[in-house]
């Protein structure tokens, strides 16, 4: 999907920022499916009773098509349809053969201003908490996984907001250092989270019992990937830090293929910043202006290097975790976003290279006599 297509899809603006939107959606149950998900869904799924699940989904689709929904209710409906459709897809049911599924997801997409299937927000931040939470299985590891990704998404939302403010903040100001340091503090949860997931969710549990529910399927003749890490707001963090002007084909393909799964306000960030200087660019492009404020500039560079170190501390175990998962899967397997672990290695290497750039610039600043 091109940038122009996404721009067209975004013409009707949402009134709530995505974190508030997701919180609201998590409390909605417009088709009254709480009891089904709490008491029936996991058992039907475990028994692979596709007949009952398909019958239930087709009744839900009929009810949905007759329901006057606003944008947020449509997101909740897409979430619930997505869970059941993904389970049927995992058990070999041909999605195209489910009556009204494609037409209803396409209709709901016009209301949500998003692609016509569930996404990582549906599975985590728009997913209710407690007994209302939707899961595919009764495994405690799945609940841990949802909690971990949900909390990570909340942290990444705060970080992405800070980075947008950073682009408008004087690089040699204390506010700049404060914003970057806050990003580093927020990112500590990401680091701790990936370590916990790596420790408590085995490659076998994730690869064979959870990941198959995130498989792609075709809607309206187009292939859409299921919820996955490539749809998380980490893509916005890296884009604002260094990616908006990055001349790297693998990275640009990764960005183009995945930013379309983001909520409206974050797609707008990509559209409005595409081919413009990144946060790291803004320091390097105007170095002569800032050299006279050497000490303040050095503090800002230190804070950026610290933040990049936190990202590296997340990306390194994340990359290893992906490799471990791939080892137990059949050859040439792909992750939920349609990639193997090599894309994570690319993102890690880009981050390491940007850290080296910052370190070299720090040396330049050190040599300046003011």
């Amino acid at each position: 999907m091109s940038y122009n297509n996404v721009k067209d899809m975004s013409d009707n603006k949402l009134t709530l920022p995505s974190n508030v939107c997701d919180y609201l959606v998590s409390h909605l149950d417009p088709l009254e499916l709480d009891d089904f998900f709490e008491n029936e869904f996991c058992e039907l799924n475990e028994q692979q009773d596709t007949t009952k699940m398909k019958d239930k989904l087709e009744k839900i689709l009929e009810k949905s098509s007759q329901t006057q929904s606003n944008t947020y209710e449509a997101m909740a409906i897409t979430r619930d349809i997505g869970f059941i459709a993904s389970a049927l897809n995992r058990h070999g049911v041909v999605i195209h053969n489910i009556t009204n599924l494609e037409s209803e997801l396409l209709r709901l997409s016009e209301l949500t201003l998003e692609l016509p299937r569930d996404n990582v927000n549906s599975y985590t931040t728009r997913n209710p908490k407690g007994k209302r939470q939707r899961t595919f299985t009764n495994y405690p590891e799945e609940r841990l996984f949802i909690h971990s990704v949900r909390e990570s998404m909340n942290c990444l939302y705060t970080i992405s907001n800070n980075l947008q403010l950073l682009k408008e903040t004087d690089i040699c100001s204390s506010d700049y250092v404060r914003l970057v340091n806050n990003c580093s503090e927020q990112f500590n949860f990401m680091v701790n989270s990936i370590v916990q997931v790596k420790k408590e969710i085995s490659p076998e549990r994730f690869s064979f019992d959870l990941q198959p529910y995130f498989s792609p399927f075709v809607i309206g003749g187009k292939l859409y990937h299921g919820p996955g890490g490539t749809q998380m707001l980490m893509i916005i963090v890296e884009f604002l830090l260094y990616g908006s002007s990055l001349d790297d084909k693998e990275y640009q393909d990764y960005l183009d293929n995945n930013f379309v799964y983001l909520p409206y306000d974050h797609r707008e960030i990509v559209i409005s910043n595409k081919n413009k200087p990144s946060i790291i660019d803004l320091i390097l492009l105007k170095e002569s202006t800032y050299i006279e404020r050497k000490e303040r500039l050095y503090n800002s560079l230190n804070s950026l290097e610290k933040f990049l170190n936190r990202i590296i501390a997340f990306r390194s175990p994340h990359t290893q975790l992906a490799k471990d998962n791939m080892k137990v899967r059949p050859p040439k397997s792909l992750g939920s976003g349609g990639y193997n672990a090599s894309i994570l290695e690319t993102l890690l290497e880009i981050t390491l290279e940007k850290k080296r750039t910052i370190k070299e610039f720090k040396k330049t600043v050190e040599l300046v006599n003011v």
Side-chain angles (χ1 to χ4, degrees):
M1 180 173 289
S2 71
Y3 286 95
N4 289 335
N5 293 144
V6 175
K7 188 69 176 174
D8 291 342
M9 188 169 71
S10 301
D11 280 344
N12 298 317
K13 291 190 176 182
L14 298 173
T15 56
L16 296 176
S18 62
N19 64 329
V20 179
C21 162
D22 287 3
Y23 178 79
L24 170 63
V25 172
S26 73
H27 286 78
L28 298 178
D29 181 27
L31 299 185
E32 300 178 317
L33 293 171
D34 280 355
D35 184 69
F36 170 73
F37 280 106
E38 182 182 355
N39 298 307
E40 299 179 57
F41 178 61
C42 288
E43 285 69 25
L44 291 174
N45 204 8
E46 184 178 1
Q47 296 161 9
Q48 300 185 34
D49 193 337
T50 57
T51 300
K52 287 185 179 178
M53 281 196 289
K54 183 172 180 287
D55 181 62
K56 179 69 174 181
L57 179 56
E58 289 180 341
K59 290 177 180 176
I60 289 169
L61 291 165
E62 183 179 1
K63 183 176 180 180
S64 174
S65 68
Q66 298 170 1
T67 301
Q68 294 258 340
S69 304
N70 61 33
T71 294
Y72 309 106
E73 291 166 334
M75 288 176 176
I77 293 171
T78 300
R79 172 199 66 207
D80 291 347
I81 290 174
F83 265 91
I84 306 172
S86 295
L88 290 167
N89 185 54
R90 185 255 189 276
H91 295 306
V93 174
V94 178
I95 291 297
H96 185 71
N97 294 338
I98 300 174
T99 305
N100 295 329
L101 175 62
E102 293 188 48
S103 60
E104 186 58 13
L105 285 175
L106 289 166
R107 186 188 74 84
L108 291 168
S109 175
E110 294 179 359
L111 296 172
T112 65
L113 306 178
E114 295 178 357
L115 298 181
R117 78 158 292 180
D118 52 323
N119 53 35
V120 73
N121 297 66
S122 309
Y123 187 60
T124 59
T125 48
R126 294 176 189 170
N127 196 346
K129 295 181 179 180
K131 68 178 185 177
R132 293 186 57 237
Q133 183 167 272
R134 281 81 163 120
T135 61
F136 292 107
T137 74
N138 286 314
Y139 295 125
E141 292 96 328
E142 184 178 11
R143 289 188 174 273
L144 169 64
F145 182 61
I146 291 172
H147 171 76
S148 174
V149 178
R150 178 193 288 125
E151 294 305 309
S152 294
M153 289 282 280
N154 291 332
C155 291
L156 289 169
Y157 183 85
T158 300
I159 292 169
S160 67
N161 280 348
N162 282 349
L163 293 180
Q164 290 177 81
L165 291 173
L166 207 61
K167 295 194 73 173
E168 309 300 325
T169 303
D170 180 359
I171 291 169
C172 294
S173 68
S174 59
D175 284 341
Y176 192 96
V177 175
R178 178 183 56 80
L179 283 168
V180 180
N181 285 343
N182 183 262
C183 289
S184 295
E185 290 168 10
Q186 289 286 329
F187 213 85
N188 282 331
F189 182 88
M190 295 284 292
V191 177
N192 295 334
S193 175
I194 197 65
V195 171
Q196 183 185 23
V197 166
K198 193 171 187 292
K199 178 181 178 182
E200 299 192 30
I201 304 178
S202 70
E204 291 78 11
R205 174 68 81 209
F206 184 77
S207 295
F208 302 132
D209 297 323
L210 299 181
Q211 197 274 339
Y213 291 108
F214 310 134
S215 298
F217 52 73
V218 174
I219 296 294
K222 295 182 180 179
L223 184 73
Y224 295 103
H225 293 285
T230 58
Q231 300 169 12
M232 291 180 67
L233 293 184
M234 192 66 205
I235 195 172
I236 292 293
V237 171
E238 291 166 326
F239 174 77
L240 291 172
L241 267 178
Y242 62 69
S244 59
S245 62
L246 189 64
D247 184 17
D248 182 288
K249 186 178 185 307
E250 187 176 9
Y251 173 79
Q252 289 301 329
D253 288 346
Y254 163 79
L255 177 68
D256 291 350
N257 290 334
N258 290 288
F259 96 100
V260 294
Y261 289 89
L262 297 176
Y264 164 77
D265 52 353
H266 288 97
R267 295 197 308 271
E268 285 292 291
I269 293 172
V270 175
I271 293 168
S272 60
N273 286 277
K274 182 71 172 174
N275 297 321
K276 293 182 180 179
S278 67
I279 287 167
I280 290 178
D281 290 334
L282 289 173
I283 284 186
L284 303 178
L285 289 171
K286 300 181 180 179
E287 62 178 87
S288 60
T289 307
Y290 301 119
I291 289 298
E292 62 188 29
R293 293 184 283 174
K294 173 179 174 179
E295 185 176 347
R296 291 183 178 182
L297 173 59
Y298 200 82
N299 289 339
S300 295
L301 290 168
N302 270 337
S303 63
L304 269 179
E305 184 181 0
K306 177 183 175 184
F307 182 37
L308 289 170
N309 281 333
R310 300 317 294 153
I311 294 177
I312 292 164
F314 164 77
R315 275 292 181 212
S316 295
H318 185 212
T319 301
Q320 187 57 53
L321 177 62
K323 289 180 177 179
D324 292 343
N325 285 335
M326 291 300 178
K327 286 177 183 176
V328 303
R329 300 180 194 176
K332 299 183 180 180
S333 293
L334 299 176
S336 304
Y339 296 89
N340 57 34
S342 66
I343 187 62
L344 300 179
E345 293 178 309
T346 297
L347 295 171
L348 176 58
E349 182 50 46
I350 292 172
T351 308
L352 288 166
E353 189 253 324
K354 295 303 177 183
K355 177 188 171 182
R356 289 191 290 269
T357 300
I358 293 295
K359 288 177 73 71
E360 286 301 313
F361 188 44
K362 282 173 61 179
K363 291 179 182 178
T364 302
V365 174
E366 286 174 343
L367 294 173
V368 171
N369 292 317
V370 179

